[in-house]
Amino acid sequence: MSGIVPKLFVISGPSGAGKGTLVARVRERHPHLGLTVSATTREPREGEIDGTSYYFLSDEEFSRRVAEGEFVEWAHVHGHSYGTLVSEVTSKLDAGSSLILEIDVQGAFQVKERFPDAVLIFIKPPSLSVLQQRLVGRGTETAESVATRMANAEREMVLADRYDEVIVNDDLDSATDELLRVIQKHERN
Ligand code: ADP
Ligand code: 5GP
């Protein structure tokens, strides 16, 4: 792997922008790209597996781990706590491959402070109305949760210009190509 430098990539964007979809597609074409499993206090959705989708923690357990300094970053997002465990980042970076953290904007800036070489990538939907269609179409959120996520989306979008890279997820194949191109460009730098 000469000339390739493993990097920490942070991917953010409004809920429903397509982050999970794009990351899964890129990882099929770039199998060495690791992904951290975050901790959260939200309830598991149908089909989500503890330890694979997220580490699902009680509020008490999350607070205890914050106090013990177990998080690289953490934030309140859409009414719940989410965070990246130090153990997830160190074990996977030590394995010598690049790593993706799919986290919110508050967490992204905390990571950049701690790891200045991290590359921040923002995924934008083509418009807020398309975002709403995707969130509703995904079928995972209640009407109330869609409303919270749409309100947060507007606040998150204004922070896109503080990211190193911005990708608009309109056509899925083009956005997947673009994300892969951006990752490989930074791994060569
Ligand atoms: P996020 O991880 O950002 O919350 P998801 O990856 O879950 O978003 O995508 C939200 C919904 O939009 C999913 O149902 C997904 O299949 C769909 N989706 C993602 N990207 C596109 C795209 N480019 N065009 C149409 N639908 C998309
Ligand atoms: P969801 O509940 O849809 O799985 O995730 C909601 C939001 O939480 C997403 O925008 C996602 O980026 C963010 N998120 C997921 N994991 C983390 C994390 O470890 N840290 C932070 N700060 N945000 C996270």
Side-chain angles (χ1 to χ4, degrees), residues 37-41 50 55-74 83-88 114:
V37 177
S38 294
T40 183
T41 60
D50 189 29
Y55 298 108
F56 293 100
L57 305 181
S58 65
D59 289 333
E60 294 71 28
E61 177 67 6
F62 197 99
S63 302
R64 188 189 66 74
R65 289 176 181 238
V66 169
E68 296 286 327
E70 288 188 28
F71 287 104
V72 172
E73 61 74 35
W74 71 276
T84 308
L85 294 160
V86 175
S87 54
E88 283 287 306
R114 194 151 169 175

Side-chain angles (χ1 to χ4, degrees), residues 3 20 30 45-46 53 157 176:
H30 188 325
R45 294 180 186 134
E46 199 171 321
S53 317
M157 299 271 273
T176 306

